[in-house]
């Protein structure tokens, strides 16, 4: 008799034979055959303390939900507990990597005797590391497809020319693999704690071994180079310096080996003018000219966040930008970017209605006190590489938290030549959900360095619905060149997991490697197979733009949301 407090699929799974469950591809989702444990979703009432028990692991969620890990033999007994309202089996997140390849016209170029596989082209990532034990990154004989792994977080033996971390060669990785996971990780203790890098690399170039090819990535026979940034983890963030060193390392390795390389960057930040003029952006554009390379960068996930606003001031006109600061916000910073030619009077109004002094247009730090908040202000000047001017405000609590409520930024056009201004708050989901601008503007929400001129900037769309993903970062008129270049599948992608198997991921982080892999296939077709020996860099970008397919809802291309359209690899390779 089916348990009415357990959903249909879980009831069916528990009633099916092991062989049926394996064949199904759906019934075992949530089940770990090695440990014989289920992860299930539980709706409950009452105290969290009553959810646990011997052999039962509980992760309470907000609103009376929890994720519970427990043996299959205990599920029916567990459901009989009075406070358990319902138990639901996890569902597979769609679409799979297979569907992503299909939507991006990748399958036609992979199929057949002469199908493209990425062979001869390097795929490199600068990310959070990789689970190098995952079978999708191994050859048929069990050896690694990774030629070099540079873990910047493990001191000891950095690559020549660098000062941090440890570089592991293919020979060392193969030795670790031969020892098995327990001993092998003692030899090479590098891990992908967040799972981000493993998923990214798998979409770009995983061979789908675990799924017998079903969840195969794009350039599935490419050799791999991996850089793990120094501080990447679940609760810590790498730095742009580490990113730059990682890109540098990958380019140098490719040049040394005399091979073309497609590089994936699925990291970004929100600090800067967003005009491609920071040292990070200009560095990447410059290094893109070295060797035969393509650098693909995600546009970020700030498109529907409340962390950007903008406007245009007229001479003598005043505007008020309202910003909410949520309770329990511990820190916050605000950037205002404008043309240096414009002279704007700026002051802040606190939630209590107190007007702070007009900011002084002088170099150096200015300090203001407003209730429980201290403001550090820096009124910048243009730099040697930029004509824009930044006014930066740091909100710091005098105690534990910032003063919550509505803060107002007053702007008055004193002497206006251009009039455009942009304000940004920190990205990366570091802010309280309540914190943000009351009138957010989706344009100019590309994260840096996707704003660099010589990279291929990739947004996301939902290939199941053939619809733009509204979280995807957008371009606008701020840049002197149009961005993004195109979009790729980035919603509910099934990608290799750092813990083994596959996991569902969403974001432009995971749209980008589709394009990185596609670039590797194109370079294989052009350079390795001698159909177009000069197919790298901006030429790959031009071909990808030409082959991109339109999406419903957009009648003008390029545009600030989807660029030239959706990735179509088959349409991008000349006939």
């Amino acid at each position: 008799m089916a348990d009415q407090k357990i959903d249909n699929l879980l009831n069916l799974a528990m009633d099916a034979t092991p062989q049926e469950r394996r064949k199904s591809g759906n019934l075992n989702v949530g089940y770990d055959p090695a440990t014989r444990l289920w992860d299930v979703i539980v709706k409950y009432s009452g105290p969290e303390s009553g959810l646990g028990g011997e052999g039962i692991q509980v992760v309470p969620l907000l609103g009376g939900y929890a994720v519970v890990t427990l043996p299959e033999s205990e599920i029916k007994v567990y459901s009989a507990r009075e406070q358990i309202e319902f138990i639901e089996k996890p569902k597979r997140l769609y679409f799979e990597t297979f569907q992503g390849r299909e939507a991006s016209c990748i399958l036609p170029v992979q199929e057949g005797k002469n199908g493209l596989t990425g062979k001869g082209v390097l795929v490199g990532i600068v990310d959070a590391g990789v689970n190098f034990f995952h079978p999708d990154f191994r050859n048929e004989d069990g050896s690694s497809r990774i030629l070099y792994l540079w873990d910047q977080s493990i001191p000891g033996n950095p690559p020549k020319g660098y000062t941090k971390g440890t570089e592991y060669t293919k020979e060392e990785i193969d030795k670790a693999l031969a020892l098995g996971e327990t001993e092998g990780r003692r030899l090479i203790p590098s891990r992908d704690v967040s799972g981000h890098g493993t998923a990214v690399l798998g979409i770009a170039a995983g061979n789908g071994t675990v799924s017998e090819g079903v969840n195969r990535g794009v350039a599935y026979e490419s050799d791999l180079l991996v850089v793990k940034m120094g501080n990447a983890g679940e609760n810590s963030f790498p730095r742009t310096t580490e990113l730059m060193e990682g890109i540098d390392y990958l380019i140098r390795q490719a040049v040394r080996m005399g091979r073309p390389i497609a590089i994936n960057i699925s990291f970004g930040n929100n600090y800067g003018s967003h005009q491609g003029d920071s040292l990070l952006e200009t560095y990447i554009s410059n290094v893109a000219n070295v060797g035969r390379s393509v650098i693909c960068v995600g546009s970020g996930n700030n498109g529907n966040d409340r962390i950007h606003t903008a406007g245009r001031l007229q001479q003598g006109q005043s505007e008020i930008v309202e910003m909410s600061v949520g309770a329990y916000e511990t820190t916050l910073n605000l950037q205002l970017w404008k043309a240096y030619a414009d002279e704007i009077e700026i002051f802040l109004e606190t939630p209590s209605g107190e007007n702070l002094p007009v900011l002084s247009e002088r170099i150096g730090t200015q300090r203001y006190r407003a209730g429980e908040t201290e403001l550090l202000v820096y009124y910048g000047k243009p730099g040697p590489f930029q004509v824009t001017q930044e006014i930066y405000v740091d909100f710091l609590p005098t105690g534990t938290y910032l003063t919550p409520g509505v803060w107002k930024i007053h702007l008055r056009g004193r002497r206006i030549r251009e009039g455009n201004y942009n304000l940004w708050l920190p990205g990366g989901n570091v802010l309280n959900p309540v914190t943000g601008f009351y009138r957010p503007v989706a344009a100019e929400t590309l994260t840096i360095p996707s704003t660099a001129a010589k990279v291929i900037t990739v947004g996301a769309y939902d290939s199941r619905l053939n619809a733009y993903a509204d979280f995807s970062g957008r371009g606008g008129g701020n840049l002197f060149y149009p961005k993004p270049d195109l979009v790729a599948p980035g919603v509910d992608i099934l990608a290799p997991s750092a813990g083994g198997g596959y996991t569902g991921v969403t974001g432009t982080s995971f749209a980008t490697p589709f394009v990185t892999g596609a670039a590797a296939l194109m370079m294989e077709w052009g350079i390795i197979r001698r159909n177009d020996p000069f197919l790298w860099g901006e030429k790959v970008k031009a071909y990808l733009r030409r082959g991109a397919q339109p999406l419903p809802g957009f009648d003008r291309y390029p545009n600030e949301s989807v660029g030239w359209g959706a990735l179509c690899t088959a349409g991008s390779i000349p006939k």
Side-chain angles (χ1 to χ4, degrees), residues 136-152:
D136 283 20
F137 308 125
R138 298 167 72 167
N139 297 306
E140 282 187 24
D141 63 2
S143 64
S144 183
R145 296 171 56 208
I146 301 170
L147 303 185
Y148 290 95
L149 165 59
W150 175 25
D151 190 324
Q152 296 178 347

Side-chain angles (χ1 to χ4, degrees), residues 143-303:
S143 64
S144 183
R145 296 171 56 208
I146 301 170
L147 303 185
Y148 290 95
L149 165 59
W150 175 25
D151 190 324
Q152 296 178 347
S153 69
I154 300 175
N157 183 30
K160 185 179 179 182
Y162 303 93
T163 59
K164 69 176 68 162
T166 296
E167 179 187 53
Y168 301 99
T169 64
K170 173 175 162 54
E171 290 70 29
E172 291 170 309
I173 298 169
D174 285 342
K175 187 177 178 182
L177 293 174
L179 289 172
E181 193 149 355
T182 303
E183 289 298 318
R185 289 203 182 277
R186 290 196 180 103
L187 184 65
I188 299 181
S190 179
R191 290 179 178 270
D192 176 10
V193 177
S194 67
H196 187 274
T198 300
V200 164
L201 188 61
I203 294 166
N207 60 23
T209 295
V210 172
S211 62
E212 297 181 349
V214 173
N215 297 320
R216 192 168 67 186
V218 183
Y220 61 91
E221 285 192 349
S222 283
D223 289 327
L224 310 176
L225 301 177
V226 177
V227 176
K228 176 180 176 178
M229 288 184 281
N231 295 320
E234 288 186 59
N235 299 306
S236 59
F237 300 93
R239 297 185 292 269
T240 53
T241 50
E242 295 161 352
L243 175 60
M244 292 166 75
E245 288 184 9
I247 296 168
D248 186 84
Y249 172 80
L250 294 178
I251 294 285
R252 286 176 185 268
Q253 287 283 25
V255 169
R256 183 182 63 80
M257 288 185 257
R259 296 173 66 178
I261 184 169
I263 296 174
N264 191 96
I265 301 171
S266 288
F267 275 82
N269 67 64
N270 212 28
Y271 181 80
S273 71
H274 293 68
Q275 292 195 12
D277 54 14
S278 74
L279 293 184
L280 172 64
E281 294 156 289
T282 54
Y283 166 79
I284 292 175
S285 284
N286 287 337
V287 82
N289 294 323
V290 179
R292 295 173 295 174
S293 65
V294 173
I295 302 175
C296 302
V297 185
S299 68
N301 302 328
N302 294 342

Side-chain angles (χ1 to χ4, degrees), residues 58-100:
V58 179
V59 179
L61 308 174
L62 290 170
Y65 294 84
V67 174
V68 178
T69 304
L70 73 173
E72 180 166 329
S73 59
E74 295 292 319
I75 289 178
K76 292 206 173 186
V77 175
Y78 191 78
S79 73
R81 294 188 187 187
E82 188 175 346
Q83 73 181 114
I84 303 300
E85 296 174 5
F86 197 72
I87 299 177
E88 185 175 290
K89 175 189 164 301
K91 312 297 192 296
R92 175 167 286 149
L93 296 171
Y94 287 100
F95 57 95
E96 298 180 351
T97 307
F98 176 83
Q99 185 178 349

